[in-house]
Amino acid sequence: MEFFDYFARLFGMDPTQLPVYLRIMTFIVPVVFVVFFTCLIISKVRKVIKLVRHVRQGIRVKENPSLNADEVRKIAVGALYAYQQGGYVDDMELDVDESRLTIILSEWWGIEDRDDAVNTVNYLSNAPSQNILPLVFAAYNASNNDEAMQIIRDEIANDPNFANLPDGMERAKGLIEKAQEQLSNLKSQYEILVNNGIIASSNDIARLGVVAWDAGRLNFVARAALQRGFLTQEECQQCIDHAYAMAKSAGFSSWKEFANSYMLGRTMWNGDCNMGGLAEDMLTKPNSPWVRFPWIA
């Protein structure tokens, strides 16, 4: 008990005069602190181990001989997301670690069952980020912040689509907040986007768009839902085909432009990108499907 007596004296208490419940507390409190910091350290170490393992693993390719070049290109639309999460980048089978898959589907996307999965892929199929981009870009080009906010509010508030919905006002409010958030992210990260070669000027924001971000997420989420059994293989293939059509509609000339559009979308959505290294791997590593099967404009 010497340690706990010392702990009591540290707080100006006489250990021999302490009530029983306080003596118990002098035992419990240090133990709680030790357990908490031990768990914190273990959590940090596990993250580092996973990161090192991911880096050492590199791009995961299956090179399924039953798939032709066009089929691999379609799947590779989700390659950046799949690479980031340790899945196959060139096959419908994702093979993400099950514990990781639970975090992705449940915590990040709110997908707990088939209905959630269907609703999510339907949402992504409508290119939500690309659809809001013109509004965000118009606000970005405003002369001052007040004008930018007014552009966003007026455009969304006057949209007749919201007026015809029972929850239209709530949806409009949510969209206004999302547009303002993306505008803030774009402004704070603009110089980083330029310095990292993702865009050369603000003109590239409109030229590249962010449809690759929507298409890549649709592709990956559908494959993740397939792995969990929420979608059938046929439904997953339909999502992969649709995501590819979305990406092709943007008129990219290369996988490089696709990657830049994806990273631009991620930056506007999340407030940072941190995927330049992964994109570089996908664009240069010999086993990457982006290298094996160049983009066809």
Side-chain angles (χ1 to χ4, degrees), residues 41-226:
I41 292 171
I42 291 174
S43 174
K44 297 296 184 183
V45 170
R46 288 179 65 184
K47 288 183 179 180
V48 171
I49 290 174
K50 285 183 177 181
L51 178 61
V52 171
R53 185 184 300 159
H54 179 70
V55 170
R56 291 183 62 186
Q57 186 179 49
I59 299 172
R60 288 187 67 198
V61 294
K62 197 170 185 180
E63 298 193 46
N64 188 338
S66 68
L67 298 176
N68 61 39
D70 285 339
E71 289 170 328
V72 175
R73 285 190 187 94
K74 290 180 179 181
I75 292 169
V77 163
L80 272 176
Y81 205 153
Y83 183 18
Q84 182 188 33
Q85 303 304 328
Y88 284 121
V89 300
D90 63 344
D91 193 85
M92 184 184 290
E93 178 190 359
L94 195 57
D95 193 38
V96 170
D97 178 79
E98 286 296 329
S99 61
R100 185 66 174 171
L101 187 68
T102 298
I103 293 173
I104 293 168
L105 289 177
S106 181
E107 295 185 19
W108 296 357
W109 287 98
I111 297 175
E112 301 288 354
D113 53 30
R114 172 176 168 77
D115 288 343
D116 291 338
V118 170
N119 288 336
T120 301
V121 295
N122 285 342
Y123 163 74
L124 292 172
S125 293
N126 291 319
S129 300
Q130 180 63 24
N131 286 336
I132 200 177
L133 177 65
L135 174 58
V136 176
F137 188 60
Y140 178 80
N141 288 323
S143 57
N144 56 63
N145 189 63
D146 288 341
E147 181 185 344
M149 296 301 103
Q150 195 63 47
I151 288 173
I152 291 175
R153 287 191 293 267
D154 288 349
E155 184 70 24
I156 295 175
N158 294 328
D159 189 334
N161 293 323
F162 292 115
N164 298 326
L165 295 172
D167 59 344
M169 186 173 294
E170 192 63 29
R171 288 195 184 190
K173 180 181 177 182
L175 189 58
I176 289 172
E177 292 174 354
K178 177 55 65 178
Q180 291 174 338
E181 180 183 353
Q182 291 196 22
L183 174 62
S184 175
N185 291 341
L186 178 58
K187 286 184 174 181
S188 67
Q189 296 294 307
Y190 179 81
E191 292 300 327
I192 295 175
L193 289 167
V194 173
N195 293 337
N196 289 343
I198 295 173
I199 59 174
S201 68
S202 61
N203 291 334
D204 280 343
I205 297 172
R207 182 181 67 83
L208 289 172
V210 294
V211 70
W213 171 242
D214 289 326
R217 292 186 300 162
L218 171 60
N219 176 299
F220 178 88
V221 171
R223 290 161 65 203
L226 173 66

Side-chain angles (χ1 to χ4, degrees), residues 278-290:
L278 299 184
E280 184 66 18
D281 282 353
M282 289 298 307
L283 291 166
T284 60
K285 297 293 184 182
N287 65 333
S288 166
W290 289 6

